[in-house]
Each structure stands twice: as C-alpha cells, then as structure tokens.
Amino acid sequence: MDECTVDSCGKYTQIQQDVIDRVITTIPIDVLNSLDYKQLTAIKKAVAINSGYNDHYVDFRPVIGIGRWRYYAVFLLGKDRRKAPRNQMTITTIIKAIQIVFGLLFLFIAAVLALYLIKSALGIDIFKHFSFGIWDYFRLHVLQ
C-alpha cells in the first residue's frame, strides 16, 4: 500500500482526490447521509488505494484524434501486485520447478560435455580404444 491515505500522510494526491470526488458524487444522497465518518473514510481509502497510476514503471497513455473520433491506447509496465487464485499459484509453481529442473539439467550436461572435451583435448584416455566420437566431431567441425 504505497498510496497516500488519510491515516498515513493526512491527504490524498490530486489524482486520488479527483477519483474520490467522482465516486462520492455517484452515491445517492440518502445512502451518503446514512454513512458514518468511519464508513466514508474507509470508502475513500479503498478508492484512493485502487486509483493510483504511480504503481507502474512505464505508464504511456496516448490519445489520437481522427476527425470526430478520439482513440486511445494504454501501455503499462510494472510489478503484478494482484492476488493470484490458489490453483494458478500451484500451476505457476509447478511450471517454475520444471523450468529450474530443465535449466539445471542443461547446465549439468554442458559442464560434463566441457569436461569431456577438455579431457579429450589433453589426450587422457580413461578406457583404451573407446570413444564417444564427440571429440572427433568437435575437432573436425568446430576447430577447423
């Protein structure tokens, strides 16, 4: 909750205040009069927290006017602060775990291959008259 609230700094930003005013004016007068100070403050706080435009690293909102019509585009880039559903978190966790396993497997295979090529380049034979052919392929196709 990086947004400014009544409790944290005593006032709202101008953007937040404009949104709060628009929301409050849409509430019917009889309902608005029935709210006590605590309820109204909670509504204002909730609106202010959810109306922030400052949560994005990139906030690009161009408007293009063509004739009588105006078109707009919005490009936002920032940290996702939404709460994900529990099943989505589980699927995401499984996908991340699979990616980590495959990444570590790739690194392991690359390290074994590099060590094998170094061993072969130094002329070290562990088993006499046996070769996987990797060093010969590497020497013919990569080193030439």
Side-chain angles (χ1 to χ4, degrees):
M1 311 279 175
D2 297 325
E3 298 294 325
C4 179
T5 62
V6 171
D7 298 331
S8 65
C9 68
K11 62 179 182 175
Y12 296 109
T13 64
Q14 185 60 41
I15 293 173
Q16 290 172 330
Q17 190 59 51
D18 292 342
V19 174
I20 290 170
D21 292 341
R22 282 195 310 260
V23 170
I24 295 297
T25 57
T26 61
I27 299 175
I29 296 296
D30 57 330
V31 175
L32 190 60
N33 290 335
S34 69
L35 298 174
D36 64 7
Y37 176 76
K38 189 175 182 180
Q39 292 169 331
L40 190 59
T41 303
I43 291 171
K44 288 181 180 182
K45 186 176 180 180
V47 170
I49 288 171
N50 291 306
S51 67
Y53 294 118
N54 301 330
D55 291 350
H56 306 101
Y57 298 120
V58 176
D59 189 344
F60 182 62
R61 301 169 190 241
V63 176
I64 302 168
I66 300 175
R68 299 182 308 161
W69 299 289
R70 291 174 54 91
Y71 297 96
Y72 68 92
V74 177
F75 180 73
L76 301 174
L77 180 67
K79 186 176 181 181
D80 188 6
R81 293 187 174 101
R82 298 174 295 177
K83 299 289 183 196
R86 188 171 186 89
N87 60 353
Q88 183 181 358
M89 287 177 36
T90 305
I91 292 170
T92 304
T93 305
I94 291 170
I95 290 172
K96 285 180 184 176
I98 291 171
Q99 288 176 337
I100 289 171
V101 167
F102 278 115
L104 290 174
L105 183 64
F106 174 77
L107 289 175
F108 177 75
I109 291 171
V112 168
L113 179 63
L115 290 173
Y116 180 80
L117 290 174
I118 291 169
K119 174 201 78 72
S120 297
L122 294 175
I124 301 171
D125 287 333
I126 297 175
F127 301 108
K128 296 289 184 192
H129 307 295
F130 178 78
S131 174
F132 289 112
I134 297 171
W135 172 247
D136 295 330
Y137 179 85
F138 184 78
R139 192 176 53 193
L140 290 174
H141 292 90
V142 178
L143 294 180
Q144 301 253 335

